[in-house]
Amino acid sequence: NAGVTQTPKFQVLKTGQSMTLQCAQDMNHEYMSWYRQDPGMGLRLIHYSVGAGITDQGEVPNGYNVSRSTTEDFPLRLLSAAPSQTSVYFCASSYSVLGHEQYFGPGTRLTVT
Amino acid sequence: GIQVEQSPPDLILQEGANSTLRCNFSDSVNNLQWFHQNPWGQLINLFYIPSGTKQNGRLSATTVATERYSLLYISSSQTTDSGVYFCAVREAGGTSYGKLTFGQGTILTVHP
């Protein structure tokens, strides 16, 4: 049982490039989400999904796209990277959107130059 | 939205000392978790404790939901306990869509 996995661990992009951050979980969790962590801002919710085929926006969705074609995977796409997207990105999952324990992946450290 | 305040913001200890970290929240919650973010940036689940008391080795936590606070106790601290401790809550009801709201964290440094 690997829990929540994320790839890559580190990434450097140039402004305007696109990329996909991968997230997968093997716990059969329905709820998955993406956060970004910035100094002084804490962790903020980007997008979330309550099940395969269902996604919605969180607090800071601009510049990011998500899809959920399977229960296991929840990729985050940056369509045209900007320096303001330099951050550490965490994927999380839980059994449901209700008050269940959430588990976080190891994070992806992204730098946009 | 719900507000989460953690105290103290910084804590420096000698190895072997005990400590108490506090988390206050402004509204009813149906999820409260304590995390340890280690020096490598990983968020480690410590406790899922929307109410009551739990213990895991040298760590224990208590949440008094009616009074809107939670405490994390660390006994006989070790250098490996260093890092940032976060409290995170999910607001009960409303439209929080599963979002965890994090406190600003307590930075713990344990010296040998």
Side-chain angles (χ1 to χ4, degrees):
Chain A
N1 192 331
V4 181
T5 57
Q6 292 183 236
T7 56
K9 287 187 169 54
F10 303 94
Q11 183 70 49
V12 178
L13 289 178
K14 292 190 186 329
T15 298
Q17 288 185 316
S18 63
M19 79 159 295
T20 299
L21 279 62
Q22 301 291 346
C23 173
Q25 51 87 15
D26 61 357
M27 297 175 280
N28 202 30
H29 284 170
E30 290 296 322
Y31 181 78
M32 296 184 74
S33 57
W34 279 99
Y35 289 82
R36 58 178 288 174
Q37 184 178 27
D38 303 291
M41 302 293 289
L43 279 85
R44 294 177 291 170
L45 182 66
I46 304 171
H47 283 286
Y48 68 97
S49 168
V50 298
I54 306 170
T55 65
D56 210 340
Q57 298 180 351
E59 300 172 86
V60 288
N62 292 342
Y64 307 96
N65 226 347
V66 291
S67 60
R68 184 97 178 269
S69 56
T70 67
T71 299
E72 294 78 19
D73 300 298
F74 190 43
L76 178 73
R77 295 184 188 84
L78 281 69
L79 304 174
S80 178
S84 61
Q85 294 178 304
T86 294
S87 187
V88 181
Y89 291 85
F90 288 98
C91 178
S93 77
S94 68
Y95 179 72
S96 80
V97 72
L98 301 177
H100 292 101
E101 185 172 9
Q102 295 201 26
Y103 298 86
F104 282 75
T108 294
R109 188 174 294 273
L110 176 68
T111 301
V112 183
T113 61
Chain B
I2 194 166
Q3 304 296 313
V4 181
E5 291 183 3
Q6 290 186 242
S7 59
D10 297 277
L11 189 56
I12 299 174
L13 301 174
Q14 287 297 125
E15 207 166 25
N18 302 329
S19 60
T20 301
L21 282 59
R22 187 176 179 103
C23 172
N24 292 333
F25 44 96
S26 61
D27 216 329
S28 299
V29 300
N30 59 18
N31 179 357
L32 188 145
Q33 293 183 237
W34 283 97
F35 295 92
H36 175 214
Q37 188 163 39
N38 63 24
W40 295 270
Q42 291 182 303
L43 282 166
I44 310 299
N45 285 39
L46 297 178
F47 294 102
Y48 167 70
I49 187 165
S51 64
T53 297
K54 290 186 178 179
Q55 179 152 9
N56 184 2
R58 296 181 296 104
L59 303 181
S60 64
T62 294
T63 297
V64 183
T66 53
E67 297 187 22
R68 297 183 183 165
Y69 73 89
S70 183
L71 301 173
L72 176 69
Y73 306 97
I74 304 173
S75 65
S76 303
S77 59
Q78 300 175 356
T79 55
T80 52
D81 294 333
S82 296
V84 185
Y85 289 80
F86 287 105
C87 168
V89 303
R90 181 187 182 275
E91 190 172 0
T95 57
S96 65
Y97 35 83
K99 181 182 82 168
L100 283 179
T101 299
F102 284 74
Q104 289 300 307
T106 292
I107 301 172
L108 176 64
T109 304
V110 181
H111 291 302

